[in-house]
Structures are given as C-alpha cells and as structure tokens.
C-alpha cells in the first residue's frame, strides 16, 4: 500500500524540480513506507537513506539494503517524542551535512501523501459507490484522510473510523511503550486531520495479534497486525450496521511477522498471548483518556483534537 504514496511523492517532486538526479533521498520510517521508497528510488536511481530504530525487523532491513538503501538505526530514545523524535533529530543532522543535495519526502506532513490515495478512493467509488464506511489504522494519516476526503467529494455522508493503539498520542492517549507497531505515534502527524474521523478505536497488541491470526485462519488473508486491528473493528462495524458497506484497509503483509505474530512461542515470550474468544464488541468511553485495553471505542464526531481533549478536561 505504501508504494502508492512513495511513488506519488517522488514523481511530484521530480515534476516540481525539487528532486534532481544527484540528490539523496532521506526519510524516517520503520515500516513499509521505507520499502515503498526503496523500490521507487531504485527504479529512478536515487540514493536512499532510511532513519529507523531497533523495532525494524531484520527481514525488512535486509530487503531495504538489497534494494540499495542505507539503513541508519537510531538507538537512543528522545525524552519527548521517543524514537520518532530521535530519528528526526538524526535526519536533520544528516540534512545539515548534505545541504541542498538531499530531499526529504516528509511522509507525516506532505500533502502528497494523502493526495496519492485519490486514485484508490476512485476505485472504491467505481466498485461500491462513495457512500461507504472506511476503516483503517492511523500512523501518518495519509491513507485514511486522503481516501475519505476524496469519497466525501461524492458523498459527504461517507464515514471514517480510525484505528489506533493505546499509548499513542494521535487521538489523545498519553505517550508510552507500544508493542503494536505500524500505527500510532509519539508525535501528532500534520497529515492526521482529526475533523475527518467519525469514530476512533483503540486496540491492544494482543487483541490485534489474535485478530491477525483469525484473519488468516478464517479468510486466508495473510496480513500483519495493523490489518488485524482494522479487521476486528471493521467486522464489528459491519455486524452493528448491516446496511452499511464497510471497506477495511489492510496495509501490511504477513511475511514480516511469520516469526512474531504467527509464532505462539514469540507471543508467549512477549506477553502477547490473547486468552479466550476474540471480542465481539468494544467498550465505549466518554473520552480517549479513559480508554483501557483491550479494545475501546470513542465517538469522535468529526471534531478537532483540541475540542475533544478540552471537553475531556472539563
């Protein structure tokens, strides 16, 4: 999925002249956006440097290096903003060294990221119509916000449900350690337009991992945990509102998680075994700060982050 914005961002930069052939591309990523950039940069012949942290799995690191990317692993967490902040610090330091000979795609803030999903939204409209409910995990905000903005041009009633995890600051939880990666953040990305979301669900790592396994066992869809988290939310929404057409965005593949999410011993060692039957419904909270694992739902109602959190404090 991240190949779509990576290709769009690079091609737009080439068209504008902000990216030239002797330029080094720099980005901070621990997941599939880095892979998308590596594919596109390899195709165009650009040098690529990815700033990441120890959470990047060895398989992805090897794929990036085989595509010619240099992978810089930042091992120190910033006091504020965690690894995301320290990765950005390292990227900025490198930009200072390279001067004008570098290009930063800025996946978390460039408008080209959500704009890349207009074609995806048009595919949905062509197949299902624009009056749908979109369910997707939120990391940079590009896929969910870009898709719903385009759909609402045709159908203002189209609904958006964001899927986040606990200890992510995007929708107002306090920052903390997160075992569920690929969604959530220690910083609030500019591309997350909070006013677009109708609902927000918070899922725990153990629940998302169990849902990922069920998605494979029941439907033969071999995906990663951000897909599992979105799947369980989308399944609940479809059952709760059978008249709606629910579209679930599954942004990751399962290959990176064979020795993790799909390995019971790994789950046990990491305290991520989900006991019992998979939950059928979330708890509903009055505001995000009181949301607790394993699964909580908050009616966001297309409000700004500031409006929601100030209401919670009152």
């Amino acid at each position: 999925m991240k190949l779509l914005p990576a290709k769009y961002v690079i091609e737009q930069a080439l068209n504008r002249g902000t990216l030239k052939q002797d330029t080094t591309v720099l980005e901070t990523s621990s997941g599939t956006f880095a892979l998308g950039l590596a594919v596109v940069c390899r195709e165009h012949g650009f040098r690529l440097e990815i700033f990441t942290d120890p959470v990047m799995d060895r398989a992805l690191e090897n794929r990036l290096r085989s595509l010619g990317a240099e992978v810089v692993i930042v091992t120190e967490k910033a006091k504020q903003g965690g690894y995301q902040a320290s990765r950005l610090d390292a990227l900025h330091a490198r930009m200072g060294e390279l001067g004008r000979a570098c290009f930063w795609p800025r996946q978390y803030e460039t408008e080209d990221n959500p704009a890349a999903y207009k074609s995806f939204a048009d595919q949905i409209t062509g197949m299902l119509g624009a009056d749908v409910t979109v369910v997707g995990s939120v990391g940079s905000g590009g896929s969910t916000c870009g898709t719903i903005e385009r759909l609402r041009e045709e159908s203002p009633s189209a609904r958006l449900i964001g899927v986040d995890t606990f200890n992510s600051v995007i929708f107002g939880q306090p920052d903390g350690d997160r075992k569920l990666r690929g969604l959530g953040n220690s910083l609030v990305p500019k591309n997350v337009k909070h006013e677009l979301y109708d609902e927000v669900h918070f899922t725990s790592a153990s629940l998302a991992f169990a849902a990922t396994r069920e998605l494979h066992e029941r439907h033969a869809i071999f995906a990663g945990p951000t897909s599992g988290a979105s799947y369980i939310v989308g399944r609940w929404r479809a059952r709760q509102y059978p008249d709606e057409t629910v579209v679930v965005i599954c942004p990751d593949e399962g290959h990176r998680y064979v020795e993790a999410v799909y390995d019971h011993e790994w789950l046990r060692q990491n305290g991520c075994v989900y006991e019992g039957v998979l939950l059928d419904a979330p708890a509903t909270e009055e505001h995000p700060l009181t949301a607790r694992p394993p699964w909580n739902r908050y009616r966001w109602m297309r409000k700004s982050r500031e409006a929601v959190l100030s209401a919670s404090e009152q």
Side-chain angles (χ1 to χ4, degrees), residues 116-150:
Y117 291 94
K118 289 181 179 179
S119 60
F120 171 59
D122 289 343
Q123 285 182 307
I124 294 174
T125 300
M127 291 187 291
L128 305 169
D131 187 21
V132 299
T133 300
V134 176
V135 179
S137 56
V138 184
S140 69
S143 61
T144 51
C145 293
T147 301
I148 201 66
E149 281 185 310
R150 182 67 164 187

Side-chain angles (χ1 to χ4, degrees), residues 54-69:
V55 77
M56 178 178 282
D57 58 280
R58 182 60 62 86
L60 178 58
E61 182 183 344
N62 288 342
R63 288 186 71 183
L64 292 172
R65 294 188 190 280
S66 73
L67 288 167

Side-chain angles (χ1 to χ4, degrees), residues 127-263:
M127 291 187 291
L128 305 169
D131 187 21
V132 299
T133 300
V134 176
V135 179
S137 56
V138 184
S140 69
S143 61
T144 51
C145 293
T147 301
I148 201 66
E149 281 185 310
R150 182 67 164 187
L151 290 172
R152 285 182 183 160
E153 291 177 10
E154 298 291 329
S155 177
S157 62
R159 297 151 298 278
L160 177 62
I161 300 178
V163 183
D164 200 358
T165 189
F166 299 96
N167 298 332
S168 163
V169 305
I170 296 178
F171 293 100
Q173 280 265 301
D175 188 27
D177 290 334
R178 297 183 297 278
K179 292 182 179 180
L180 179 56
R181 302 299 293 253
L183 73 170
N185 214 306
S186 294
L187 303 170
V188 181
K190 292 181 180 178
N191 272 333
V192 177
K193 300 178 182 178
H194 295 83
E195 297 86 349
L196 297 175
Y197 295 88
D198 296 283
E199 282 187 16
V200 173
H201 289 238
F202 299 94
T203 63
S204 68
S206 58
L207 178 64
F209 295 163
T212 304
R213 293 163 69 100
E214 179 170 298
L215 183 60
H216 184 236
E217 291 162 7
R218 292 189 61 182
H219 303 284
I221 296 175
F222 187 47
T226 54
S227 296
S230 297
Y231 158 67
I232 193 173
V233 173
R235 186 184 70 170
W236 169 82
R237 181 76 185 195
R239 291 173 176 176
Q240 193 78 5
Y241 300 92
D243 293 335
E244 292 183 3
T245 299
V246 179
V247 178
V248 176
I249 300 175
C250 293
D252 50 5
E253 297 176 338
H255 304 94
R256 292 172 56 199
Y257 304 98
V258 172
E259 298 179 355
V261 175
Y262 290 95
D263 185 329

